[in-house]
Amino acid sequence: MRILHTSDWHIGRTFHGVDLLADQARVLSAVAELVATESVDVVVVPGDIYDRSIPNADAIGVCNRGFEAIRAAGATIIATSGNHDSPARLGAGASFAAVGGLHLCTRVADAHRPIVLSDDDGDVAFYGIPYLEPEITRAELEVPQAHSHAEILDAAMARIRADIATRPGARTVVLAHAFVIGGEATGSERSISVGGVETVSMSAFDGIDYVALGHLHSPQTLSESVRYSGSPLPYSFGESSHRKAAWIVDFDAKGLAAVHRHELPLVRGLSRLTGTIESLLTDIEYAAAEAHYVSATLTDTTRPVDPMRKLRERFPHAVHVEWARPEGNPELHYRERVHGRRDTEVAASFLTDVRGTPSKGEMAWVERALAAAVRETDSERSESVGATELTA
Ligand SMILES: [Mn+2]
């Protein structure tokens, strides 16, 4: 049996305010193509199908077309709800969808009831554990004292092991949406720690032939049989160097036989550019970024006017721009930078920053104002000193 492991689709997610639905549709078609070319039997998606609990109509359309394409390519689909999904909404109609080969596992109470698929070597039992929020699921799992993710997951796995014991010879797959110790976050995951430790130990899954994990967004291998596929698209500029992938997992009669990584197409690259607006708009070295999502850090000495509009003339997919003066963050370092400089110099550089270089006439006016201020301060000081002496 051949299984494709992908997760964290986050359909409907925006990237710095930009709609990603077209990119998401592209990458789901690529997954469907992989199913066809690699003769995949089962696609497992452990959570974060959608980016939000109430996805908009367009997101639902993209997701359904993705499921349909994967199904049409020949695979059964098993998906669970992640921390971003609404279990009730994602699972609506699940018993009817299951008849058509789309298994939506969103109910904690059913996590120990597997979807059993067979091949010439016998049964493979797939246990889809929806994301387990401790506060919400501890009563349902009958562990009222449990507070941590680890305790809750252990309770769910105990039920699953009890079921496995009734299926001698069955090979096993578990889908879980969790932060397993040893995994690395990318920064585009939403924390699942609500007043407690969010991580769980890998040993929770001991004895399972393959554990398909969701939640962390880069593909990673915790052990031969415990892996994250990561998201199919980068969801933060911190992931610009990642290559997104899916795992293709082969089972033989004994269980796990082989795992291969298949890279997913890079729908649109990510580039972080730093320079003056003039250099970003003209330098040939930035040509490769013209088709990318661009985050620009401008180093001009004065704040450029309307920089996003200018940037988008060359980089139509620019999504973020910020201005950082070459010396660093002015808010943090201003005090150090002006230390030891004359008041007129400080005033002149302030005016340069906020408006442009002051004229000679303006600077003469500033010098007179500063001199008057110094005289006033001095006379106040001598008056108060006099007052202190009188009352002493
Ligand atoms: Mn996620």
Side-chain angles (χ1 to χ4, degrees), residues 118-137:
S118 306
D119 62 10
D120 294 342
D121 297 318
D123 287 349
V124 178
F126 291 82
Y127 296 90
I129 309 178
Y131 167 66
L132 302 172
E133 175 59 52
E135 287 297 316
I136 297 165
T137 56

Side-chain angles (χ1 to χ4, degrees), residues 80-346:
T80 63
S81 45
N83 55 311
H84 284 248
D85 298 303
S86 156
R89 292 190 178 86
L90 183 65
S95 58
F96 302 101
V99 177
L102 169 61
H103 300 270
L104 296 162
C105 309
T106 63
R107 287 162 46 94
V108 175
D110 291 340
H112 64 290
R113 298 194 180 99
I115 291 122
V116 180
L117 302 175
S118 306
D119 62 10
D120 294 342
D121 297 318
D123 287 349
V124 178
F126 291 82
Y127 296 90
I129 309 178
Y131 167 66
L132 302 172
E133 175 59 52
E135 287 297 316
I136 297 165
T137 56
R138 61 169 172 248
E140 205 162 359
L141 287 166
E142 295 167 322
V143 280
Q145 307 305 320
H147 286 284
S148 67
H149 282 276
E151 289 168 298
I152 291 289
L153 180 64
D154 283 346
M157 284 303 300
R159 292 174 161 216
I160 287 170
R161 288 203 171 82
D163 184 82
I164 291 172
T166 69
R167 303 171 191 275
R171 294 158 291 167
T172 53
V173 175
V174 164
L175 288 72
H177 197 87
F179 195 147
V180 177
I181 293 168
E184 268 181 47
T186 63
S188 62
E189 299 89 355
R190 183 199 290 160
S191 171
I192 51 170
S193 69
V194 182
V197 177
E198 62 181 337
T199 51
V200 299
S201 161
M202 196 165 75
S203 62
F205 304 109
D206 282 353
I208 304 300
D209 290 317
Y210 185 75
V211 180
L213 293 172
H215 183 53
L216 302 181
H217 289 178
S218 66
Q220 47 199 300
T221 304
L222 300 183
S223 78
E224 193 54 25
S225 61
V226 181
R227 295 170 191 251
Y228 284 97
S229 67
S231 56
L233 294 171
Y235 288 130
S236 67
F237 276 100
E239 294 162 64
S240 41
S241 63
H242 293 192
R243 194 59 205 267
K244 299 299 182 177
W247 298 113
I248 291 194
V249 179
D250 285 321
F251 270 31
D252 62 13
K254 292 195 205 101
L256 186 64
V259 186
H260 294 105
R261 179 190 164 111
H262 280 257
E263 297 202 332
L264 295 170
L266 183 63
V267 177
R268 189 177 296 292
L270 303 179
S271 287
R272 280 193 279 207
L273 309 179
T274 301
T276 62
I277 185 118
E278 184 60 28
S279 70
L280 295 190
L281 292 177
T282 54
D283 274 9
I284 191 79
E285 65 169 305
Y286 303 123
E290 287 171 5
H292 290 182
Y293 291 115
V294 166
S295 170
T297 303
L298 304 177
T299 56
D300 300 74
T301 48
T302 57
R303 185 188 292 274
V305 177
D306 205 3
M308 184 58 102
R309 187 184 54 74
K310 289 176 188 159
L311 274 176
R312 282 187 172 156
E313 286 170 10
R314 183 175 189 190
F315 308 101
H317 304 284
V319 294
H320 179 73
V321 61
E322 60 186 38
W323 177 57
R325 290 166 40 103
E327 296 95 326
N329 185 329
E331 269 96 70
L332 288 177
H333 303 299
Y334 221 99
R335 189 186 295 232
E336 291 97 276
R337 285 184 22 232
V338 302
H339 184 76
R341 292 167 73 183
R342 292 171 52 230
D343 287 346
T344 45
E345 288 171 357
V346 173

